[in-house]
């Protein structure tokens, strides 16, 4: 299974055209937020603390389609809030599909059983369903019991009807590699197209701040997860490039590409990215791309970015590296992420020990905590975890 060839071809062709034209900054995925209202109040969410009048607001169908046209990205991820609350969401999805854009409708799936008839299976359309782990973990994450048990039958029904379905998983504190591996086994056996996974970003407005992973902890956790993956007879399917997975395991020294996944929401074009909600807004996509001070963001440049490893910033970097170093990407895809040996230094850690060579990198203003590894594990199996992307 994995991402269909049509999508790989269309996205790859788009990137190649950008490189031929000499464009250094171009979008890959439009993060479209037509509303902030949600039917859950998750502990790690920073999108729901707006006043009631803001939560009642919606982008119109035309607003959404104008953003798609203005941005031009080949993929549109519709987030929120809970998109299925938007009464005109079927028309929004239909309009994007008519433009031959690939649509990922991100949903907690609580409304999907009643709304599924509003949509039709298409190679351009995917339900990206929020699941942060098996039953106890997910219900704790979304702060409501019984959600997991409601979601699993909905996933099965969507797959039965022929929809493309992926699972969007965010990892938080106190996860274990064995627990995450069992969850990956479960959703793989369900037959989903792929798993989208990243460490939770520490939203300033999240109800709880003690749930987020530090960067060093994230890397060790993912190494342990991928070690567990090597023991599995059935490979997990990830909705990521192989080099992003290698980055999660601490093997790539990437800086984020914030402009790769630009965000359009109720307030305009959010600067600089989907995750930083208090940095201001641009009136147009062109203004966002041309007037944002991109050097002011990223690990080592801004304390708000200190522990970020989210796919919306680093997947575009990994994809760009894939085009620049296809042999490296192929090797990682075949062998899986390296789970032993030294890790690549973070930009922040490097800045603390290496003199600057230019003015683009700033000294990191807070200390970086690197926890000592307390144990290690290994596997003699050659069944590597791999990415189908």
């Amino acid at each position: 299974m994995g991402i269909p060839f049509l999508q790989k071809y269309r996205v790859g062709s788009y990137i190649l055209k950008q490189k031929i034209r000499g464009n250094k900054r171009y979008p890959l995925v439009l993060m479209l937020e037509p509303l902030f209202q949600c039917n859950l109040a998750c502990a790690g969410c920073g999108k729901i603390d707006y006043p009631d009048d803001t939560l009642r607001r919606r982008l119109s169908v035309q607003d959404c389609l104008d953003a798609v046209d203005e941005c031009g990205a080949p993929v549109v991820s519709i987030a929120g809030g809970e998109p299925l609350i938007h009464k005109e969401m079927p028309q929004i999805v239909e309009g994007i599909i008519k433009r031959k854009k690939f649509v990922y409708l991100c949903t907690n799936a609580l409304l999907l059983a009643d709304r599924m008839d509003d949509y039709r299976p298409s190679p351009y359309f995917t339900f990206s369903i929020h699941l942060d782990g098996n039953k106890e973990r997910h219900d704790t994450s979304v702060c409501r019991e019984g959600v997991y048990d409601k979601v699993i039958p909905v996933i099965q029904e969507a797959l039965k009807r022929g929809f493309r379905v992926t699972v969007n998983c965010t990892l938080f504190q106190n996860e274990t590699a064995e627990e995450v591996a069992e969850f990956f086994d479960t959703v793989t056996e369900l037959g989903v197209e792929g798993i989208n996974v990243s460490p939770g970003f520490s939203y300033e407005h999240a109800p709880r701040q003690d749930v987020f992973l530090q960067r060093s902890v994230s890397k060790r956790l993912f190494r342990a997860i991928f070690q567990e993956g090597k023991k599995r007879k059935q490979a997990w399917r990830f909705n990521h490039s192989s080099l992003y997975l290698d980055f999660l395991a601490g093997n790539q020294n990437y800086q984020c590409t914030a402009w790769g996944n630009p965000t359009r929401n109720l307030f305009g074009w959010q600067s600089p990215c989907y995750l930083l909600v208090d940095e201001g807004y641009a009136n147009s996509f062109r203004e966002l791309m041309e007037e944002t001070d991109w050097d002011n963001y990223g690990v080592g440049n801004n304390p708000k970015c200190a522990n970020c490893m989210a796919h919306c910033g680093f997947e575009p970097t990994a994809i760009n590296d894939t085009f620049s170093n296809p042999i490296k990407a192929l090797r990682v895809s075949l062998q899986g992420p390296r789970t032993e040996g030294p890790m690549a230094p973070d930009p922040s850690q490097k800045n603390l020990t290496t003199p600057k060579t230019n003015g683009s990198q700033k000294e990191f203003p807070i200390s970086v905590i690197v926890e000592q590894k307390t144990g290690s594990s290994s596997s003699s199996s050659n069944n590597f975890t791999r990415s189908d992307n």
Side-chain angles (χ1 to χ4, degrees), residues 251-273:
N251 302 320
Q252 302 295 330
N253 183 17
Y254 288 155
Q255 184 56 277
C256 79
T257 302
W259 58 84
N261 287 22
T263 298
R264 172 66 164 95
N265 60 29
L266 300 174
F267 303 132
W269 292 91
Q270 182 171 307
S271 177
C273 70

Side-chain angles (χ1 to χ4, degrees), residues 128-353:
S128 178
I129 295 181
H130 174 208
L131 274 180
D132 285 341
N134 284 329
K135 181 176 180 178
E136 181 178 357
R137 175 67 63 179
H138 182 65
D139 287 357
T140 299
S141 174
V142 301
C143 304
R144 184 185 300 180
E145 293 184 3
V147 173
Y148 180 89
D149 287 337
K150 292 179 180 179
V151 170
I152 295 301
V154 175
I155 292 176
Q156 294 170 325
E157 178 62 21
L159 291 168
K160 181 181 178 181
R161 295 193 189 189
F163 286 101
R164 293 178 59 188
V165 179
T166 61
V167 165
N168 187 9
C169 175
T170 305
L171 302 187
F172 296 101
Q173 282 279 15
N174 302 317
E175 308 266 9
T176 68
E178 294 80 6
E179 175 188 357
V180 176
E182 290 175 2
F183 170 65
F184 286 174
D185 288 343
T186 297
V187 294
T188 299
E189 290 168 3
L190 281 175
V192 300
E193 181 177 287
I195 303 166
N196 201 30
V197 61
S198 70
F201 177 77
S202 52
Y203 285 106
E204 289 183 296
H205 297 278
R208 289 181 56 186
Q209 292 296 313
D210 61 340
V211 299
F212 300 110
L213 292 166
Q214 288 185 341
R215 198 174 171 92
S216 58
V217 177
S218 296
K219 294 175 184 179
R220 293 203 304 276
L221 173 61
F222 276 100
R223 282 199 171 190
I225 291 169
F226 296 142
Q227 284 176 343
E228 289 293 323
K230 294 176 184 180
K231 306 172 187 176
R232 266 54 184 179
K233 294 181 180 179
Q234 183 177 12
W236 301 323
R237 293 181 292 272
F238 290 100
N239 198 38
H240 294 293
S241 65
S242 61
L243 289 182
Y244 176 71
L245 299 177
D246 206 41
F247 162 74
L248 290 177
N251 302 320
Q252 302 295 330
N253 183 17
Y254 288 155
Q255 184 56 277
C256 79
T257 302
W259 58 84
N261 287 22
T263 298
R264 172 66 164 95
N265 60 29
L266 300 174
F267 303 132
W269 292 91
Q270 182 171 307
S271 177
C273 70
Y274 174 72
L275 298 171
L276 297 183
V277 298
D278 292 329
E279 300 297 300
Y281 294 86
N283 293 319
S284 68
F285 176 70
R286 179 185 292 274
E287 180 184 326
L288 174 75
M289 297 296 281
E290 295 180 354
E291 298 187 16
T292 300
D293 185 3
W294 300 107
D295 290 338
N296 193 42
Y297 301 99
V299 178
N301 296 334
N302 194 306
K304 294 181 179 181
C305 306
N307 287 309
C308 182
M309 298 181 72
H311 59 87
C312 61
F314 291 94
E315 183 70 85
T317 309
I319 291 174
N320 188 59
D321 193 19
T322 298
F323 269 75
S324 300
N325 298 283
I327 301 302
K328 177 177 73 169
L330 178 61
R331 182 175 65 251
V332 175
S333 179
L334 294 174
Q335 298 179 347
R338 179 170 56 83
T339 58
E340 296 180 346
M343 293 185 182
D346 281 341
S348 57
Q349 296 168 346
K350 183 176 180 180
N351 288 347
L352 289 175
T353 58

